[in-house]
Amino acid sequence: MRILVVEDEKPLADALTEILKQNRYHVDAVYHGNHGLAYARSGIYDLILLDIMLPGIDGLSILKTLRKEHITTPIIILTAKSEVSDIITGLDAGSDDYLAKPFSTGELLARIRALSRRSAAYNEEILTCGDLSFNKSAMELCCGSDSLKLGLKESQLIELLLNNAGRVMPKNLLIEKIWGPDSDAEYNNIEVYISFLRQKLTFLGTGTQIRTIRGVGYQLEENCEK
Ligand code: CA
């Protein structure tokens, strides 16, 4: 799960990033409203923590713009206690939740879990497609009585493919979701990991396969024609 932090108080943004990373989230932080909007528009985030008072475009305008553009990423507004009227405005503008600063780490993590539970896919511990299953916390890929441990990138990749089984996943979307928008990971990085995964699928003898859609990306499919 990838989280965007938009917060101009750098020490707070950095502390949030650190806490979220320790809790196994992937995090990008930006400190300016304009960057916040640009990153949020990429559509690669599963959740956004959004401060209201920002240099450039303010948080509420970012929120309104995103909702107007039908970007439905869950958003938690971060706000100072003195800005309670802004909170009401924020909820009206389509934010999903808010946290008044200062907030505790426990409270933040609980809110994130609550929001991610709403999108059921993140809540499922075991993802399946055909006879293939993947245990997220054990990072284990299984078919019948056989199972294999996956590395971190392979796990992220198979999780994305399983959450979108049957759908074509563009290469650049996979790269941005796994390596982040600023990474210099290239197409061949993803090809290497796809080939690792294919070897493992073959080893497990599953009917589920990763199809290459030439010039676009990849699609996970069960029981490809032999
Ligand atoms: Ca601020």
Side-chain angles (χ1 to χ4, degrees):
M1 176 159 160
R2 183 167 282 275
I3 299 179
L4 175 65
V5 174
V6 188
E7 167 62 73
D8 62 320
E9 283 168 57
K10 203 163 177 295
L12 177 58
D14 293 347
L16 286 172
T17 304
E18 196 47 45
I19 291 162
L20 293 171
K21 283 188 172 163
Q22 280 167 10
N23 285 273
R24 293 178 46 206
Y25 295 108
H26 302 276
V27 191
D28 298 305
V30 291
Y31 315 111
H32 192 281
N34 298 14
H35 298 152
L37 180 59
Y39 274 62
R41 271 179 170 153
S42 70
I44 65 169
Y45 295 99
D46 303 299
L47 189 112
I48 300 169
L49 300 180
L50 183 62
D51 185 27
I52 290 188
M53 300 290 281
L54 291 165
I57 310 169
D58 69 274
L60 285 179
S61 304
I62 293 176
L63 178 60
K64 283 181 196 157
T65 306
L66 293 174
R67 295 304 186 235
K68 209 180 287 171
E69 294 174 359
H70 307 292
I71 294 167
T72 55
T73 312
I75 292 174
I76 300 178
I77 291 271
L78 306 177
T79 182
K81 277 227 165 68
S82 58
E83 301 165 338
V84 171
S85 59
D86 291 338
I87 294 170
I88 310 299
T89 319
L91 294 174
D92 286 344
S95 120
D96 298 285
D97 203 354
Y98 70 90
L99 268 176
K101 297 180 206 174
F103 46 81
S104 72
T105 305
E107 193 179 2
L108 171 70
L109 294 172
R111 299 288 183 89
I112 291 175
R113 281 195 300 272
L115 269 187
S116 53
R117 265 198 293 276
R118 287 192 210 161
S119 39
Y122 298 111
N123 198 30
E124 281 170 37
E125 188 52 30
I126 312 272
L127 301 171
T128 57
C129 177
D131 58 1
L132 182 74
S133 67
F134 177 62
N135 181 314
K136 279 158 65 172
S137 57
M139 302 205 301
E140 218 167 45
L141 199 58
C142 311
C143 176
S145 56
D146 291 322
S147 69
L148 279 173
K149 267 268 193 246
L150 298 187
L152 182 62
K153 296 284 183 231
E154 290 171 311
S155 297
Q156 291 173 283
L157 187 53
I158 196 71
E159 192 177 324
L160 280 168
L161 292 170
L162 281 163
N163 275 330
N164 296 281
R167 235 179 276 168
V168 179
M169 295 297 282
K171 268 188 190 177
N172 54 355
L173 183 68
L174 292 171
I175 289 172
E176 289 200 331
K177 280 207 173 252
I178 294 170
W179 282 275
D182 291 333
S183 93
D184 37 27
E186 302 213 352
Y187 281 177
N188 52 352
N189 292 56
I190 194 101
E191 281 159 16
V192 167
Y193 285 99
I194 290 281
S195 94
F196 288 160
L197 277 178
R198 280 184 174 143
Q199 286 166 24
K200 293 184 173 167
L201 296 179
T202 305
F203 175 85
L204 291 171
T206 171
T208 299
Q209 291 182 24
I210 303 168
R211 261 184 71 192
T212 299
I213 311 297
R214 206 171 287 275
V216 186
Y218 301 99
Q219 181 179 19
L220 193 71
E221 267 191 352
E222 65 180 287
N223 300 322
C224 296
E225 72 280 43
K226 293 273 151 59

